[in-house]
Amino acid sequence: MPMARGRIFKRQSGYGYRVDLGPDPSTGRRRQAQKQGFRTKRDAETALTEHLGAIRSGDSITPSTTNLGDFLDEWLAGQSSRLKETTWESYRIVVLRVTRRIGKVKLQALTPLELERFYRELGETGGRRGGPLAAKTVRNTHTVLRKALADAERLGLIMRNPAATARPPSAQTKEHRTWSSDEVRDFFEHVKDDRLFGLYVLLATTGMRRGEAIGLRWRDLDLDAAELHVVQTLASVRNEAVFSTPKTKRSRRQLYLDEGTVKVLRAHRACQREERLAAGPAWNGEHDLVFSDELGGPLDPESVSTDFRRKIGTAQLADIRLHDLRHTYATIALKSGVHPKVVSERLGHASVGITLDLYSHVTPAIGRDAADVVASKIFS
């Protein structure tokens, strides 16, 4: 069999390569393999070298007309037994986003340059009603694509993973919107008679995530010891409540409570007992939830967030998200001198470095306070 040969060519869209595979044994017709869309000549040369090496070693892939969308659908179906339901749902949304725009592209023809063009389009018109998608969302799309195409490479469906060299948009540093301690007190005063008052207090004094707080069970809360254990979360998947374990090992944690929060939670428990008596046989207490609807069932996460924003409007306070109560807790704690490692552990971050990166806007004030404290010991 004659040795396969290849050459590089240039197009307006970038570089490509073409490999001469010699005549077809059955028809005598000349056969060629071609791939283009590489950003640089070096990328095309590297891919060509890999392709020729695979042909010579007998490891070349079988040509296929499978498109990206069909592959991703099959790949996603195979992930259902490996992923948490909430994670699988997030993957499903990404696959829909990809297939709507580039799903018809042949899997073996997909290039890094085409993926970068796709990411750029998502950042410009990929959101609802043609608006831009956040850089973080585009990067999450890239992460899922990279995992899927790595499996395609492992299975011998493609020569190399184009997402491995494609560049997603840079992460954008976003300064969190938070309340001051005075604004938190004003909000508490405004909602002190609300049935979810205890939820707002818990979020603001512990920095718990929404799903962790609304998934909290009474068996995981010890008011006498003033502590709780985060062992499950609650999310909504296609309008159905889904309970799962925390995302990471660090997220599964013990939190100590202050005296004021304990007092509020005791009052909340008394109110819930009254609701249970009023509901009678209709009460659904199987989940043992600390924060539930009027019949003991799970709260809808999005409805909780929407209702929070509505209450902010009536309180005439600075507009923040429910999740920003978590950032508010962290900011107040750090500014008050709580050690960053303690704050990191209470938030359930993987490392204190993540905490310091997220709240870098707070660290200058911490540094200034540290300078003053040390100087006071020396010059006093």
Side-chain angles (χ1 to χ4, degrees):
M1 179 180 176
M3 183 174 293
R5 296 174 295 176
R7 68 182 183 86
I8 304 296
F9 60 85
K10 190 176 187 306
R11 294 284 188 270
Q12 287 185 346
S13 60
Y15 289 86
Y17 69 80
R18 185 178 293 113
V19 177
D20 186 351
L21 301 173
D24 188 308
S26 59
T27 65
R29 293 179 180 176
R30 184 183 179 190
R31 298 176 302 166
Q32 289 186 333
Q34 178 175 302
K35 193 167 185 178
Q36 58 185 352
F38 296 96
R39 187 190 309 107
T40 65
K41 185 177 181 180
R42 178 173 292 184
D43 288 342
E45 289 173 341
T46 300
L48 172 59
T49 300
E50 290 179 357
H51 196 149
L52 292 175
I55 291 174
R56 290 162 187 157
S57 65
D59 294 331
S60 60
I61 60 174
T62 302
S64 170
T65 59
T66 300
N67 64 39
L68 177 62
D70 290 340
F71 165 73
L72 288 176
D73 287 341
E74 185 174 354
W75 175 82
L76 182 65
Q79 303 304 305
S80 58
S81 61
R82 298 185 178 95
L83 302 173
K84 292 181 181 180
E85 191 171 352
T86 50
T87 304
W88 187 90
E89 176 65 11
S90 69
Y91 279 27
R92 184 187 71 84
I93 294 172
V94 168
V95 167
L96 283 175
R97 183 180 301 135
V98 174
T99 54
R100 285 170 182 168
R101 291 192 172 240
I102 58 172
K104 293 183 180 179
V105 175
K106 296 294 184 288
L107 178 63
Q108 293 179 354
L110 190 64
T111 64
L113 186 61
E114 189 156 18
L115 286 177
E116 290 184 4
R117 187 181 301 117
F118 167 60
Y119 298 151
R120 186 168 61 252
E121 290 174 355
L122 289 181
E124 295 171 352
T125 61
R128 292 181 180 179
R129 302 176 182 175
L133 276 181
K136 181 180 179 181
T137 304
V138 180
R139 289 179 68 85
N140 289 343
T141 300
H142 167 73
T143 298
V144 175
L145 261 178
R146 184 168 181 167
K147 289 180 180 179
L149 294 173
D151 281 343
E153 182 181 9
R154 175 179 58 81
L155 295 169
L157 301 176
I158 54 177
M159 288 291 299
R160 64 205 301 250
N161 180 355
T165 52
R167 296 173 182 170
S170 301
Q172 297 175 346
T173 302
K174 182 179 180 182
E175 188 169 325
H176 306 294
R177 290 185 295 176
T178 60
W179 278 340
S180 65
S181 54
D182 287 340
E183 287 174 309
V184 174
R185 281 194 293 271
D186 288 344
F187 179 70
F188 285 171
E189 179 63 26
H190 181 72
V191 296
K192 62 182 180 181
D193 296 324
D194 191 273
R195 65 181 306 274
L196 292 183
F197 175 54
L199 173 64
Y200 302 138
V201 170
L202 185 66
L203 290 171
T205 59
T206 64
M208 291 175 71
R209 300 175 178 91
R210 178 184 68 181
E212 295 170 343
I214 63 176
L216 182 66
R217 301 171 298 187
W218 285 111
R219 75 189 76 164
D220 304 320
L221 174 61
D222 187 338
L223 293 178
D224 292 331
E227 64 182 42
L228 64 82
H229 291 82
V230 179
V231 296
Q232 77 167 12
T233 64
L234 170 62
S236 179
V237 176
R238 303 186 195 182
N239 298 320
E240 292 290 334
V242 175
F243 293 93
S244 63
T245 55
K247 190 174 182 178
T248 65
K249 184 179 179 180
R250 287 292 186 92
S251 295
R252 191 182 179 99
R253 61 200 188 280
Q254 180 184 26
L255 292 175
Y256 296 106
L257 304 175
D258 64 277
E259 184 178 341
T261 299
V262 169
K263 182 178 180 181
V264 169
L265 291 175
R266 288 189 188 279
H268 172 76
R269 183 170 60 182
C271 290
Q272 191 183 74
R273 285 171 175 167
E274 292 179 4
E275 289 183 339
R276 183 171 185 170
L277 288 174
W283 181 261
N284 174 21
E286 63 173 317
H287 298 297
D288 189 35
L289 294 171
V290 175
F291 304 108
S292 65
D293 63 21
E294 291 83 349
L295 296 177
L299 293 169
D300 174 64
E302 292 304 320
S303 295
V304 171
S305 293
T306 301
D307 194 49
F308 173 75
R309 298 290 285 269
R310 188 181 301 116
K311 290 181 174 67
I312 289 176
T314 58
Q316 298 183 340
L317 290 167
D319 186 28
I320 66 171
R321 305 166 303 164
L322 184 69
H323 188 70
D324 291 326
L325 286 181
R326 175 174 167 85
H327 299 314
T328 295
Y329 162 78
T331 301
I332 293 175
L334 290 169
K335 286 183 176 180
S336 301
V338 179
H339 195 287
K341 183 168 176 57
V342 174
V343 176
S344 180
E345 290 175 349
R346 284 178 69 83
L347 293 174
H349 285 163
S351 70
V352 68
I354 292 176
T355 309
L356 292 174
D357 285 343
L358 280 172
Y359 303 103
S360 58
H361 61 290
V362 183
T363 52
I366 298 175
R368 185 172 296 279
D369 290 343
D372 292 339
V373 168
V374 173
S376 68
K377 300 297 183 182
I378 296 174
F379 298 113
S380 59

